[in-house]
Structures are given as structure tokens and as C-alpha cells.
Amino acid sequence: EPLPKGMDAVVSRKMYRYRQRTLMDELNRLLTEAVDGAIFDLAREVFVKARPDAAKSWDSLAARLAKGPRADDVKQALSTSDGTPKVLEVSGADEEKKEEA
């Protein structure tokens, strides 16, 4: 079947990309969930091997680590009111003064 010409081609490509994007978003979510689970299990195994005496506290440690800041909170903290990123200037001047003292 020949490819559509003109506006039909544009609309067809747009519909195809939309369908592909929704599929890719779902696959990305599933892959991220699988990778996060695997990393969690691997970290648990390493923790149990490294600290067998502290392995009992894994669940409480995992619960505390899981309560990180939400993405919206981090985004808000790192951006200005108009949505542009904040520029943080860091200089070694303070460190030099401490070394001299």
C-alpha cells in the first residue's frame, strides 16, 4: 500500500507516534518497576551478607529510605518562581579562610 501524501501523512505519523508513546511509557514504567525491585533485592542481599547481625532491621531501614522527598518538592526547591532553575554559586573562599586560621 502506498504511503499517504500531504496532510494524511502528517496525521498518520502523528497518530502512530501517539500510540507508540503510550506503549513506550507503559514499557518504561514496567521496566523501571522491575529494575527497582531487582536493585532492592540485591541491596538487601548485600546488607544481609555484610551485616548479618543487623539484617533484622532491614525492614525499618528500607522504610526510612523509601520516604525520600517527592519529585515535586525537589523540583520546587531547585527552581525559582518563574520555573527557571536556581543557580547555586559555590566558591572555595570559605574553605581557604578556614585553612588559614
Side-chain angles (χ1 to χ4, degrees), residues 4-101:
K5 303 275 188 222
M7 285 303 291
D8 291 338
V10 172
V11 171
S12 296
R13 284 193 300 266
K14 188 174 182 179
M15 289 172 53
Y16 174 78
R17 287 183 187 133
Y18 175 76
R19 290 183 184 126
Q20 286 295 101
R21 185 180 52 209
T22 55
L23 178 64
M24 292 303 293
D25 289 344
E26 185 63 21
L27 288 175
N28 187 27
R29 186 189 66 76
L30 290 171
L31 183 61
T32 301
E33 184 179 320
V35 167
D36 287 347
I39 289 172
F40 182 82
D41 291 342
L42 181 64
R44 184 178 190 287
E45 289 298 319
V46 168
F47 185 75
V48 167
K49 296 242 188 246
R51 300 277 315 268
D53 57 324
K56 295 175 185 174
S57 65
W58 172 259
D59 292 331
S60 63
L61 176 64
R64 284 186 298 176
L65 290 175
K67 292 182 184 178
R70 294 186 334 214
D72 294 338
D73 295 337
V74 173
K75 192 175 189 180
Q76 183 180 8
L78 296 177
S79 63
T80 59
S81 60
D82 61 355
T84 58
K86 284 184 183 177
V87 177
L88 303 175
E89 295 183 15
V90 179
S91 67
D94 294 335
E95 293 176 11
E96 291 174 5
K97 289 179 186 176
K98 288 179 184 176
E99 289 177 5
E100 290 174 3

